[in-house]
Amino acid sequence: MARGVTAGQGRFIGDDDYRSGFDEDLETTLDLDTWSIGLDIEKLIDGIHAQVSSSATAEEAIQATVRTGILRNLKEHTKLDVAGVYPASEKRLRTVFEALLFPGRVEAVTSIVASHDSLPLGITQLGVAVVGYGGTSGTFSQRLFRKKLATGDEDPVRSAMECMSERHERSGMGRRDNLSMLARRGLRDYAERAILLDKAQAEWRVGQGNPCTRELLSGSGYPRLLKASLKMLRKLIGEHKKFVFVPHAMEERGYLTLGHALLAGEYAIIRTLESDSAYFVERWSYPSEEIRSEVLDFVRNYCRDILIGLFRSSANAPPCLFFAHREYVHVAAHIVMADSLIHPRRGFPMLLDVADSSCRGVFGTDTFQGLVQDAYTRAGGKYQYLNERHGRQRER
């Protein structure tokens, strides 16, 4: 897929970009005299209906072209011997149901992050659940407490000033709180995959997202996490191999275009994960070229064995992306398609939804916030430190 420059990467949006995207000039949009006064229901319905109808018709024409001109020639386009469109075998789907899914030989892992961030204390809770159709295999959690106290220093004023400066740096305009990002994304991605590898018991393991996320390939800016991530991924990809990952949402619209051109009950194998991962690694700011070379070596030796595919389980469901090992990609496709048939309108593996529900039931935000508020009560009701803005957001 083409990799263009996106907003926030040093380029302003030009007049041509705006006109192309919205079919009108920015000056027209800014002119308040062109805005409707109040809510004209009939005009609104007619306008949306006309736009949806024309867009859907145009999209169907694009899908027909993609199907005949691209999907049928994937092997030639990608130079990948296994690339192509395949019909899911009904016999194989039945076998997957009877021999793998329902006997519990497939387990899914998902996670949830709950956090509390107040002036004196920040808490991040990571919760992970391993679930198969035979029941929950295990739940795992970790809590990180982040605090900075201005006590115990010979110069308490200097200590307080340092504390204020550090907090300002952490929350200033346009700044990223790197430690919070590390906890919420990097550690979460690592924990999901490490637990999938070391704690799950089933023959097949199902995860969500990309197995080699950017957070893992960068260590979220933390070299020690990067080293642990590469070690874990080498074992998952190089030794276990029987895994399949499915993202909850497909953000890459190029893949989405290909996916919608599939018929119900079809899956396509598109490319390897190597080029996308290498593209990221070559542009990330690593502490040294030696570290970058180590990550690139991992990408070239392991990401080339991860294939990217698309499947569409039913006519009423959107397509889904999946990642699987080259040696087991066809079995992996049948596993996620069979599991998606349980809920044909959603078209997403039910086992991942079950794992998500189990995780939220044990480690949900409401339970976590209740424990935090109880702790503040026991500490003397110091509710002034609770974030009122977050409270209003939750009420909505």
Side-chain angles (χ1 to χ4, degrees):
M1 299 299 118
R3 304 181 181 92
V5 178
T6 59
Q9 291 183 321
R11 187 175 79 89
F12 280 96
I13 298 175
D15 291 338
D16 292 340
D17 296 321
Y18 190 90
R19 190 180 302 110
S20 174
F22 297 105
D23 198 27
E24 70 177 36
D25 292 325
L26 179 60
E27 287 79 6
T28 302
T29 307
L30 296 178
D31 183 1
L32 298 184
D33 289 335
T34 67
W35 289 45
S36 300
I37 299 176
L39 186 62
D40 187 337
I41 295 295
E42 290 186 7
K43 184 178 180 180
L44 176 64
I45 292 175
D46 290 342
I48 292 178
H49 178 268
Q51 293 292 336
V52 168
S53 179
S54 62
S55 297
T57 300
E59 189 64 30
E60 288 172 359
I62 293 173
Q63 290 172 14
T65 302
V66 168
R67 184 168 183 82
T68 57
I70 299 177
L71 287 180
R72 289 182 180 177
N73 303 296
L74 276 176
K75 191 172 295 186
E76 289 74 15
H77 285 302
T78 63
K79 309 301 180 185
L80 181 65
D81 57 352
V82 73
V85 178
Y86 301 87
S89 163
E90 290 187 15
K91 180 180 179 181
R92 213 168 189 182
L93 289 173
R94 193 178 304 112
T95 300
V96 165
F97 273 123
E98 297 173 354
L100 292 178
L101 283 170
F102 293 151
R105 292 173 61 192
V106 180
E107 288 181 334
V109 171
T110 191
S111 66
I112 186 173
V113 175
S115 62
H116 161 77
D117 193 10
S118 65
L119 191 63
L121 177 66
I123 309 173
T124 300
Q125 176 179 274
L126 304 172
V128 184
V130 184
V131 175
Y133 283 122
T136 302
S137 298
T139 54
F140 307 85
S141 64
Q142 177 65 279
R143 276 154 292 277
L144 302 174
F145 298 90
R146 185 178 181 187
K147 54 188 176 181
K148 176 67 176 180
L149 302 179
T151 58
D153 194 288
E154 294 181 358
D155 187 344
V157 174
R158 182 184 65 184
S159 180
M161 291 293 290
E162 290 176 353
C163 178
M164 290 172 60
S165 177
E166 182 177 306
R167 288 172 173 176
H168 185 72
E169 286 293 320
R170 176 181 170 188
S171 60
M173 183 181 297
R175 296 187 179 95
R176 291 175 55 183
D177 185 351
N178 290 332
L179 281 179
S180 292
M181 293 287 286
L182 169 68
R184 293 182 62 86
R185 295 187 181 180
L187 292 178
R188 179 181 187 177
D189 285 357
Y190 174 83
E192 277 191 14
R193 287 147 185 79
I195 288 173
L196 188 79
L197 177 66
D198 294 330
K199 301 300 182 181
Q201 302 296 317
E203 175 186 357
W204 273 90
R205 321 284 168 87
V206 181
Q208 68 89 25
N210 179 340
C212 301
T213 64
R214 294 181 175 187
E215 283 72 25
L216 296 179
L217 293 180
S218 65
S220 293
Y222 191 28
R224 191 179 295 274
L225 176 60
L226 173 61
K227 183 176 181 180
S229 298
L230 294 182
K231 180 180 179 181
M232 177 268 296
L233 288 172
R234 288 188 186 101
K235 187 176 179 182
L236 177 67
I237 301 168
E239 297 179 23
H240 185 76
K241 299 181 182 179
K242 291 185 177 182
F243 60 81
V244 55
F245 283 75
V246 182
H248 277 283
M250 198 189 314
E251 298 178 353
E252 222 290 353
R253 289 180 175 265
Y255 289 146
L256 195 60
T257 304
L258 290 175
H260 275 288
L262 293 173
L263 299 179
E266 287 184 338
Y267 64 95
I269 299 171
I270 304 170
R271 63 192 300 177
T272 74
L273 188 56
E274 181 180 0
S275 62
D276 287 348
S277 299
Y279 181 84
F280 168 75
V281 171
E282 288 165 355
R283 285 155 182 78
W284 181 259
S285 179
Y286 289 93
S288 68
E289 285 304 313
E290 181 181 358
I291 294 178
R292 185 194 307 279
S293 296
E294 181 184 358
V295 183
L296 277 175
D297 182 67
F298 165 82
V299 168
R300 289 166 182 151
N301 284 285
Y302 289 90
C303 289
R304 67 182 181 183
D305 285 331
I306 298 178
L307 299 182
I308 303 174
L310 293 154
F311 71 89
R312 196 171 184 190
S313 57
S314 72
N316 294 322
C320 286
L321 202 65
F322 74 95
F323 302 83
H325 195 278
R326 180 188 297 266
E327 293 181 19
Y328 299 99
V329 65
H330 294 291
V331 180
H334 279 77
I335 287 174
V336 290
M337 290 185 75
D339 200 28
S340 299
L341 286 172
I342 299 175
H343 198 330
R345 188 173 294 276
R346 175 157 160 71
F348 186 80
M350 178 62 76
L351 198 53
L352 278 174
D353 281 344
V354 173
D356 185 66
S357 297
S358 175
C359 201
R360 292 180 184 279
V362 178
F363 305 112
T365 302
D366 288 342
T367 301
F368 172 75
Q369 295 295 348
L371 292 173
V372 171
Q373 292 193 20
D374 178 69
Y376 275 94
T377 300
R378 293 173 182 270
K382 302 183 183 299
Y383 296 115
Q384 69 269 28
Y385 294 117
L386 295 178
N387 193 323
E388 188 268 340
R389 177 172 59 87
H390 287 175
R392 282 190 286 113
Q393 288 176 343
R394 289 185 62 211
E395 290 171 3
R396 294 176 184 172

